Amino acid sequence: MASISSVTQETGDNVEFDSGQKYFGPLFLVTMLFFMWGFITCMNDILIPHLQQVFTLQNWQAMLIQTAFFGAYFIISLIYYIISITKGDPIGRIGYKNGIILGLIISAAGCLFFYPAASFESYAFFLFALFVLASGITILQIAANPYVTILGKPSGASSRLNMTQAFNSLGTTIAPIIGGYLIFGAIGDLDISADAVKMPYIALALTLLFIALIFKLFKLPEVNAQGVIVSDSGALKHRHLFLGIIAIFAYVGGEVTIGSNLINFARLPEIAGLDEAEASHYLALFWGGAMVGRFFGAVALADFKNNLNRFLIIGGVALLAFVTIINVYDQEMALYALAFIGLNILVIIIGRFIPNRTLWLFGLSVLALLAVGLVAKGQLALWSIVAVGLFNSIMFPTIFSLAIKGLGKYTAQASSLLVMAIVGGAVVTPIQGLVADLSGSVQLSFLVPMICYVYIVFYGFNGYKPKHS
C-alpha cells in the first residue's frame, strides 16, 4: 500500500489526493459497494409486503422492517461518533480499506441470519437479521462516502458522489425485479412462506464475502489526515454540517417511506389496482428514475468546461436507453417516463449546474409531484409518485458533499454523523404507516414525506452555507 505522503497533500485542514494520481481502480471497487448496498436496501421494499402477508401484519408493524434496518444506521453511527470523540476516529486508525472489509463481513453475517429467521418463522428474528445487515452497511457508508469525495478535486466531489450513487440506484432498480421474482415467485406460482427469502439472502451473503476478498487483495490508497487522530467533537461546530445532518434525515426519511409505500399505493383500486408482482415493476422505475437522475447529475455537476454540451450528449444517450428499455415493456410507461425525464433535465438546466441551487429546485419539484399524487387518481397519481425518484436522485450525494465541505480532519467524524442521520428512514416510515392506518388512506399519508422535502428546500437555499460557530 502506498504511503500517506506519496498519495496525499495537505493544505490547511483540507486533505486531498495528488491530482496527478489516477484512481479509476479504487473508484470502480467502491462503486461496487454502492451498487450492493443499494440492492440490499431496496430488497426491504419487497420484504415489507411479503412478510406482511406471511405474519398478517398491520401497516405500521410491517414498517418496523425499515425501523430495524435504518435504526442500525443511527445506533452504529452514534457508537462510532462517541468512540471518535473519546478515543479518536476509528477509520483514521484502521484505514478505509479495513473499514470497508469489516462492513462487508458484518453485512454478510446479517444476510445469513435470514436462514434461521425463516426456519423459526420469527418476525422478531427477521428484524434482528436486518439490524445486523444494516450495521455492516453503516460501516460501509461511513468509510465509502467520504472516500469518494477525497478521490479527486474537491470541486468535483458532488459529481463523483452522484456517479457512485447512480450505481447505488442501479442496484435499487434491479432489486425489485429480481427480488420480486425470487420472493413473490413467478406469476401464478406465488410463494407466501417465510422460506422464500432463504436462498436470495444466502446468495447475497456469498456475494458480499467475495467482494470483501477482492478488497483484501486489492491495494487501495489510504488517507488519514497525515496520521492525525482527532478525538474531539469539533465537527459539530460547523453550522452547515449540523443542518446537513437534519437534511440527510429528512431526505432518507422521505425517499424510503415513499418507496416503502409505493407497492401498496399502486395496489389501490382508484390508482392502478395492481398485484404485488406487477406493482414491483413501478417500484423498479421509482429507483430507476433515481439512477438516471444521478447519471445526469454526475455529468451536470462535474468540474469541466463546456459541461452543458457534454450534459446534453451523455444525458441524451442515457435518456434514450432508459426510455427504449421501458418502451419494450410498455409504451404508455415510456411516454410518462419521457415526460418526467424531460422535466428533470429542464430543472437541472434551470439550476445552472450549481449543486445547492439544483438541490432546492429538485426539492420544490418533489413537493409539486407529491401534491399531484395526493389529489389525482389513476395513472397520473401513480406516475407522479414514481417520478419523485428522478428528483430524489442528486439529493443524498449533494447534501453529503455540501455538508462535509471544508471539514478537513473532521471529515470521517462528520461522515459518521451524516450516516447516523439515515435513521430518518426508520422514523419517518412508520409515521407514514401510522397515518395510513389512522386515516384509512395510503394516498393521504403522503403528506408525511412532504414535510421532509420542505426542509430540503431550505437547506439548498440557505442551510448549506458554511459558518463556523
Side-chain angles (χ1 to χ4, degrees), residues 269-290:
E270 65 272 24
I271 301 301
L274 305 176
D275 61 31
E276 289 88 348
E278 292 173 326
S280 67
H281 294 137
Y282 285 89
L283 180 61
L285 291 173
F286 172 77
W287 294 111

Side-chain angles (χ1 to χ4, degrees), residues 57-69:
L57 305 172
Q58 292 185 328
N59 285 319
W60 73 268
Q61 291 173 314
M63 294 305 167
L64 291 178
I65 288 173
Q66 300 292 30
T67 301
F69 191 87

Side-chain angles (χ1 to χ4, degrees), residues 15 32 37 39 45 52 54 97 117 141 228 249 290 296 302 312 322 411 439-440 445 449 469:
V15 179
M32 283 199 307
W37 80 54
F39 187 97
D45 295 336
Q52 189 170 13
V54 172
K97 176 178 178 177
Q141 291 257 23
V228 177
F249 178 96
F296 288 166
L312 292 175
F322 186 63
T411 298
S439 66
S445 70
S469 61

Side-chain angles (χ1 to χ4, degrees), residues 84-216:
S84 73
I85 65 176
T86 57
K87 303 295 183 180
D89 176 37
I91 295 296
R93 292 183 180 278
I94 68 174
Y96 287 99
K97 176 178 178 177
N98 290 329
I100 288 170
I101 293 171
L102 177 63
L104 286 166
I105 292 173
I106 294 174
S107 294
C111 289
L112 291 175
F113 281 137
F114 272 71
Y115 193 94
S119 297
F120 289 117
E121 294 188 350
S122 169
Y123 186 53
F125 206 153
F126 273 114
L127 296 181
F128 171 75
L130 284 162
F131 183 90
V132 175
L133 171 57
S135 296
I137 294 179
T138 302
I139 296 173
L140 290 177
Q141 291 257 23
I142 293 173
N145 280 302
Y147 193 54
V148 170
T149 66
I150 293 170
L151 285 172
K153 295 180 180 178
S155 57
S158 289
S159 175
R160 288 191 299 279
L161 264 182
N162 268 289
M163 181 59 70
T164 52
Q165 288 284 345
F167 284 93
N168 175 275
S169 295
L170 178 60
T172 60
T173 303
I174 295 173
I177 299 173
I178 297 177
Y181 181 82
L182 294 176
I183 294 178
F184 289 139
I187 296 175
D189 185 30
L190 295 179
D191 183 355
I192 58 171
S193 71
D195 288 342
V197 306
K198 286 182 177 178
M199 294 312 298
Y201 279 88
I202 289 176
L204 284 174
L206 295 175
T207 302
L208 291 170
L209 290 174
F210 178 70
I211 295 174
L213 178 62
I214 293 175
F215 269 90
K216 180 66 176 177

Side-chain angles (χ1 to χ4, degrees), residues 262 265-266 271-272 274 281-282 284-286 289 322 326 329-341 369-370 372-373 376-391:
L262 186 53
F265 182 68
I271 301 301
L274 305 176
H281 294 137
Y282 285 89
L285 291 173
F286 172 77
F322 186 63
I326 298 175
Y329 180 76
D330 189 306
Q331 290 186 349
E332 185 179 9
M333 279 188 175
L335 291 176
Y336 275 105
L338 184 62
F340 284 115
I341 291 175
L369 290 169
L370 288 174
V372 173
K377 304 292 182 184
Q379 288 292 312
L380 178 59
L382 177 58
W383 274 96
S384 293
I385 300 300
V386 170
V388 169
L390 275 166
F391 294 91

Side-chain angles (χ1 to χ4, degrees), residues 449-461:
M450 288 186 75
I451 299 172
C452 298
Y453 290 98
V454 169
Y455 181 83
I456 292 172
V457 172
F458 157 73
Y459 187 75
F461 193 78

